[in-house]
Amino acid sequence: MVSEEGLEKGMFAKIRVFLEMIKFSHTVFALPFAFTGAVLAADGMPSAHQVFWILMAMVGARTAAMGMNRLIDAEIDARNPRTASRAIPAGLIGTGTVALFIVLSILLMLYAAWQLNPLCLYLSPVALFFLGLYSYCKRFTSLAHVVLGICLAAAPLGAWIAIRGTVEVPAILLGLAVLFWVAGFDILYALQDLDFDRASGLHSIPVRLGVNGSLWAARVFHLVMLGLLAGLYLSAGLGPWFLAGLAATIAMLGYEHWLLRHGDLTKLDAAFFTMNGYISITLFVATLADVLAGRGGV
């Protein structure tokens, strides 16, 4: 008979495996942009209530999205040498447990949206649709990277709606900037699976364009992102702190593409994880400093 302590240890072990499976630490990519949208919408610091429930909505949405992706792609992951050691193919966690965590995450997202405002709750099914769609895209379209961008673009747009209950030009520009940023770095990330995807009949921009074409596509996407951020600077009436953050972002994106300029994927961790994490945090800090400076707080 299993003791209560044993059950608790087993559950915590499953939670640890699940959090590692969905790369919970990578929330750093989207979360700062959500708070960037919130700070801009509030023209300062949002309330503690708003910050907490935006955080919960983000955690729920991203956890559900990654859980669905791992569950839907489990058979493909099992055949891909790069992903065969993931939790589901490796038998470290069952599909039923993953499905339970997904349901709980969706419920958390919906409850958080309800706590924020009615429009957030009404738009939640749209966000869930795109979160689910992304996992299937590679089976029929090369634009999976764009769909992923749409999913993460919901972070700043949703946070803006959470604060103001409306959709306005700065929120759209920031959301589009995130879309092109994410799509660009996901193209680079997908280069790892180019040979496997081709052999398996899966779709991606690397499969369609090859290595060199993909590098150029990612560069174009990131140039569009920078143009949209410049538009945000003008439309939101931001100042020197934001410009400093934008300059730092240009430098980091340039370094990211320089690292991968010859398609050398041995430097992907530095280019993908490190640089993009720094970019999202830098833009949030720059935006917050600018907004607070405008109100005499910095």
Side-chain angles (χ1 to χ4, degrees):
M1 185 174 180
V2 181
S3 67
E4 183 177 338
E5 182 180 357
L7 287 173
E8 289 180 358
K9 287 182 178 179
M11 178 55 67
F12 283 124
K14 288 181 179 179
I15 291 172
R16 284 195 300 271
V17 170
F18 180 76
L19 292 177
E20 171 59 27
M21 180 188 75
I22 64 169
K23 300 296 182 185
F24 186 77
S25 59
H26 294 174
T27 303
V28 70
F29 290 162
L31 187 58
F33 275 111
F35 287 132
T36 299
V39 165
L40 286 172
D43 192 26
M45 288 298 296
S47 70
H49 173 89
Q50 290 167 328
V51 168
F52 177 77
W53 288 112
I54 288 171
L55 175 62
M56 291 299 99
M58 284 293 302
V59 169
R62 190 190 179 280
T63 303
M66 287 298 294
M68 286 189 283
N69 181 257
R70 294 295 189 255
L71 188 61
I72 292 166
D73 278 355
E75 186 272 330
I76 293 174
D77 287 345
R79 292 188 284 109
N80 185 342
R82 185 180 70 83
T83 57
S85 61
R86 285 178 175 171
I88 296 177
L92 299 177
I93 192 168
T95 57
T97 301
V98 174
L100 174 61
F101 283 134
I102 292 170
V103 171
L104 293 175
S105 299
I106 290 173
L107 291 175
L108 174 61
M109 173 190 166
L110 294 174
Y111 185 73
W114 177 69
Q115 286 286 327
L116 288 163
N117 65 49
L119 186 56
C120 285
L121 182 59
Y122 298 152
L123 292 176
S124 294
V126 178
L128 287 170
F129 169 77
F130 281 103
L131 294 178
L133 175 65
Y134 167 68
S135 297
Y136 291 101
C137 281
K138 70 178 74 174
R139 294 160 173 83
F140 61 86
T141 178
S142 300
L143 298 179
H145 320 284
V146 175
V147 175
L148 180 62
I150 292 171
C151 292
L152 271 72
L157 189 58
W160 181 286
I161 293 170
I163 302 299
R164 294 202 180 185
T166 60
V167 179
E168 299 171 45
V169 171
I172 294 171
L173 290 172
L174 181 57
L176 287 173
V178 171
L179 190 162
F180 281 96
W181 171 62
V182 170
F185 73 62
D186 193 57
I187 291 169
L188 299 175
Y189 189 71
L191 286 168
Q192 297 178 100
D193 294 326
L194 175 56
D195 294 335
F196 174 80
D197 289 348
R198 276 180 175 162
S200 302
L202 298 173
H203 300 270
S204 70
I205 285 180
V207 168
R208 179 175 289 272
L209 300 182
V211 174
N212 192 53
S214 297
L215 292 174
W216 276 106
R219 291 165 190 157
V220 170
F221 275 42
H222 285 160
L223 283 173
V224 173
M225 173 218 183
L226 294 173
L228 289 162
L229 289 175
L232 174 65
Y233 164 76
L234 295 173
S235 69
L238 295 168
W241 285 103
F242 184 84
L243 279 181
L246 181 55
T249 298
I250 292 170
M252 287 186 280
L253 282 174
Y255 181 62
E256 176 180 333
H257 287 279
W258 182 81
L259 285 174
L260 300 177
R261 64 195 182 282
H262 301 307
D264 181 7
L265 300 186
T266 60
K267 298 177 180 178
L268 187 65
D269 278 353
F272 177 76
F273 298 112
T274 307
M275 284 300 102
N276 286 300
Y278 287 160
I279 285 169
S280 62
I281 293 171
T282 296
L283 284 170
F284 166 65
V285 171
T287 303
L288 178 62
D290 218 322
V291 170
L292 292 181
R295 298 183 61 189
V298 175

